[in-house]
Amino acid sequence: MASVARAHPTGATAPSSQSHRRAGVGLVVAVLLVALNLRIAVTSLGALLDRLGEIGVSPTVQGLLTSLPVLCFAMVGATAMSVTRRIGVDRGLALALVVLAAGLVLRVLDGTPALVAGTFVACAGIALANVLVPAIVKEHFPGKVGAMTGAYTAVLSIGSAAGAALAVPLTDATDSWRLGLGLWALVAVAALLAWLPFARGRVVRRTTVKGAALWRSPTAWAVTVLFGTQSLFAYVMMSWLPSLYADAGFSDATAGLLLAVSIIIGVPFFFLAPSLAGRMRHQGHLIAALTALTAVGWAGLGLAPEGGAWLWAALLGAGGAVFPIALLCFALRTTSTADTAALSTMGQSVGYLIAAGGPFVVGVLHHATDSWALPCALLVGLGVVQVSVGYLAGRPVKIGAPERL
């Protein structure tokens, strides 16, 4: 885009006094409640895939349901900037929460078509929020981007764990998978009510980096691929880890609990990793170390899923802290809030498209070989790719400035 925004001397868009006033406790709570909702729809469904199979949902539809979230995140995420330029970033986030709550209700109304359609609608709301939250954090918390990124991704992780751990018990307690999935709409409504006081239609300034320059930037592409690989790891884990443990002999409830434990163990890593990364000149070393934990976790699951079950879950949880670092890179590699939103749109739309085939391919390979060994081996190999792009994404450069590979 050719328009140029007025920039703060340091390179960041100057936050208004209104932004400073609004960045109080109420805004922090609202952002964290939004974050709590950003994976519940996915992990609660993953925990109940085997139950849905028992009531007639085919393996093909189950595979579609595991890939649908990331496909939706890619497609809808690409429209986020155009939507929010019309209604504003803050109102855009309110719209995202309305769509999410509606989808959570729709998917439990009646039959497989409603399940698929509702999952798409819920994930559309999440996709819009995914893109907006990093820009909102940079705008309202300009001096605490690392800390706030850590806080909201840690809460996001807690929400993921809650969905995984509680979906089966809620289904058992209510004797209804519909309630086990549908009750999460109340959490989305709570976040919407908390956010409404801040939904005032602030419009995003145009990016200071021309669109073509962004798409030609090696750094932008490195951040995008990094986001894609860590997303692939995360959604394979959320979609198939309970099934992998169930095949190893664990009960459905224990399998869901193992996924929840994996996510909960990741919470302190999610909180600390972006704060540490924000103080580092080059984030590539930290990305490599965390990716190594992920690779060891998948290798262990392929070789000894039952004997080291809790250890592999813990390693996957800790290694998942690449996620908040990837989100932080949206802010670190840009000079303004508008540029952060533009890179977030590119990174999440293309990154989720990269990740979209992961859960589906893993499911197909598992059903074809009746084993988890080959899928786990491929995931270990993906770790090498993530380390490589992590070193490029972690370089201390700004998009739009001269770059050297």
Side-chain angles (χ1 to χ4, degrees), residues 118-326:
T119 298
F120 181 87
V121 172
C123 291
I126 295 173
L128 185 57
N130 281 341
V131 172
L132 296 180
V133 173
I136 286 171
V137 167
K138 181 155 185 171
E139 174 72 12
H140 292 293
F141 307 93
K144 299 179 179 178
V145 173
M148 194 62 194
T149 299
Y152 92 74
T153 53
V155 172
L156 181 154
S157 212
I158 291 171
S160 299
L166 299 179
V168 171
L170 281 173
T171 297
D172 290 341
T174 60
D175 197 28
S176 169
W177 67 268
R178 299 181 193 280
L179 288 175
L181 289 177
L183 287 173
W184 299 109
L186 298 176
V187 184
V189 171
L192 174 63
L193 294 176
W195 181 252
L196 282 178
F198 306 102
R200 300 178 183 177
R202 179 173 52 84
V203 177
V204 177
R205 296 186 181 95
R206 290 189 180 272
T207 176
T208 61
V209 177
K210 293 182 179 181
L214 182 70
W215 287 85
R216 289 196 303 263
S217 166
T219 296
W221 275 106
V223 172
T224 295
V225 176
L226 175 66
F227 193 89
T229 56
Q230 65 78 29
S231 296
L232 192 154
F233 279 128
Y235 285 97
V236 167
M237 185 182 81
M238 287 187 286
S239 298
W240 290 113
L241 194 62
S243 296
L244 190 157
Y245 280 128
D247 287 348
F250 294 93
S251 68
D252 287 345
T254 302
L257 178 61
L258 278 160
L259 175 58
V261 166
S262 178
I263 297 169
I264 286 293
I265 286 175
V267 170
F269 289 88
F270 275 47
F271 183 77
L272 294 173
S275 296
L276 176 60
R279 294 194 292 270
M280 299 173 69
R281 185 172 183 274
H282 197 308
Q283 291 76 40
H285 306 306
L286 183 56
I287 291 170
L290 293 169
T291 302
L293 299 180
T294 297
V296 172
W298 285 114
L301 284 167
L303 295 171
E306 185 176 2
W310 299 96
L311 174 60
W312 313 139
L315 290 174
L316 291 180
V322 172
F323 170 58
I325 298 175

